[in-house]
Amino acid sequence: MRSIGWLALCCGLICLGACKQVSKPDSARLSPPQMVPVIYGLMMADELGNHLKIRDSSLKMNEFRQEKYSQVFNLNKTDYRDFAESYRYYLGRPGELKLIFDSVEAYSTRARIEVMNPAKKARAKGLEERKEKIESN
């Protein structure tokens, strides 16, 4: 009878150890406002690569992407590891990820407006300043 008790205790301890939940990060390394320009830069690097690939079939896309992604990460003072960890974190939180991608869309629209019509740049900046003022209150 004692051996059955010990066996049950050992099996219980093994089950508890096996059921240990893998710890997930409580927060992302990059905040949503930090993720937006990084994602936008990576998307632009991909678009540039696709555009250049049409003109130059000898372009090695893997090397090109690696170089451009590295430039994007350096420009935003982060690295691939932090970005990937943050991206995985936000993949588990679809609501926050949707806000990030909505912000990327708005970011790209503002950038396109600045390129197409520099006069609207000042107006867009004024709207952005008012938005920040409202959010801070």
Side-chain angles (χ1 to χ4, degrees):
M1 220 21 132
R2 282 188 173 180
S3 62
I4 293 175
W6 281 106
L7 182 62
L9 179 65
C10 288
C11 287
L13 290 175
I14 289 173
C15 287
L16 285 175
C19 294
K20 181 180 175 185
Q21 189 174 9
V22 177
S23 63
K24 293 183 178 179
D26 292 337
S27 64
R29 290 183 183 259
L30 299 176
S31 67
Q34 292 172 317
M35 290 286 288
V36 170
V38 176
I39 292 174
Y40 177 72
L42 295 175
M43 291 170 70
M44 292 300 291
D46 281 338
E47 285 298 317
L48 177 63
N50 292 337
H51 181 71
L52 293 177
K53 184 69 174 172
I54 293 170
R55 291 183 175 190
D56 182 9
S57 61
S58 67
L59 181 68
K60 296 180 182 174
M61 287 300 289
N62 288 338
E63 293 173 10
F64 178 81
R65 276 197 182 115
Q66 186 177 15
E67 177 187 342
K68 294 302 173 191
Y69 284 7
S70 177
Q71 290 175 354
V72 169
F73 293 134
N74 288 337
L75 179 68
N76 292 288
K77 297 177 179 70
T78 189
D79 60 6
Y80 174 77
R81 186 175 45 91
D82 290 344
F83 173 76
E85 187 175 310
S86 299
Y87 190 70
R88 273 187 245 111
Y89 171 83
Y90 290 119
L91 282 176
R93 291 156 180 81
E96 291 180 49
L97 189 61
K98 182 183 183 322
L99 290 174
I100 290 172
F101 279 112
D102 288 346
S103 297
V104 169
E105 182 181 7
Y107 189 90
S108 68
T109 301
R110 282 192 304 268
R112 193 170 36 254
I113 288 170
E114 288 176 11
V115 169
M116 302 297 259
N117 191 352
K120 287 189 178 183
K121 180 178 180 180
R123 190 170 68 183
K125 186 176 181 182
L127 290 173
E128 188 174 302
E129 288 173 355
R130 278 188 253 147
K131 182 181 175 186
E132 288 175 2
K133 192 182 234 183
I134 290 170
E135 289 176 351
S136 66
N137 291 333

